[in-house]
Amino acid sequence: MAIGVVRKACRERGITVLFSAHELNQLLGTLDRVLYLGNGQAALGTVEQVVTAPVLSALYGTDIQVLRADGHIFVMSRGHDMEHADHLHDHGGHEHHH
């Protein structure tokens, strides 16, 4: 995906683009707002407002850790990387992207 092309189109045409993704890392730096869905609930705001331990812990109803390193965000639950594990279940072990 050419993120730079999408950002340019948004600026030049004054349009909004909606991405649906399991992982935010590829989109970091391009997102103005995030709608994070978890456990039948939602949180809306900037990446800094939404992708935090308190917000995601409330969404999932369990203790969530959010680690930031080298421009990446890792969402962890008891040592498991939820951003990667989330789309591996219920699909026979194959990745499923929306």
Side-chain angles (χ1 to χ4, degrees), residues 5-17 32:
V5 172
V6 173
R7 285 188 66 84
K8 182 178 178 185
C10 288
R11 282 192 311 268
E12 291 178 353
R13 298 180 186 196
I15 61 173
T16 298
V17 174
D32 296 314

Side-chain angles (χ1 to χ4, degrees), residues 18 32-37 41-47 49-51 55 59:
L18 173 67
D32 296 314
R33 293 171 67 81
V34 172
L35 174 63
Y36 204 111
L37 305 174
Q41 300 183 70
L44 177 64
T46 65
V47 173
Q49 293 169 329
V50 172
V51 188
V55 171
L59 281 182

Side-chain angles (χ1 to χ4, degrees), residues 42-90:
L44 177 64
T46 65
V47 173
E48 291 76 22
Q49 293 169 329
V50 172
V51 188
T52 66
V55 171
L56 297 187
S57 293
L59 281 182
Y60 285 104
T62 189
D63 184 32
I64 301 292
Q65 294 179 322
V66 177
L67 308 174
R68 287 177 163 81
D70 297 324
H72 295 280
I73 296 176
F74 302 93
V75 178
M76 311 289 284
S77 173
R78 297 185 185 160
H80 299 345
D81 186 346
M82 294 184 66
E83 289 291 308
H84 289 98
D86 187 46
H87 62 277
L88 294 178
H89 64 79
D90 295 334

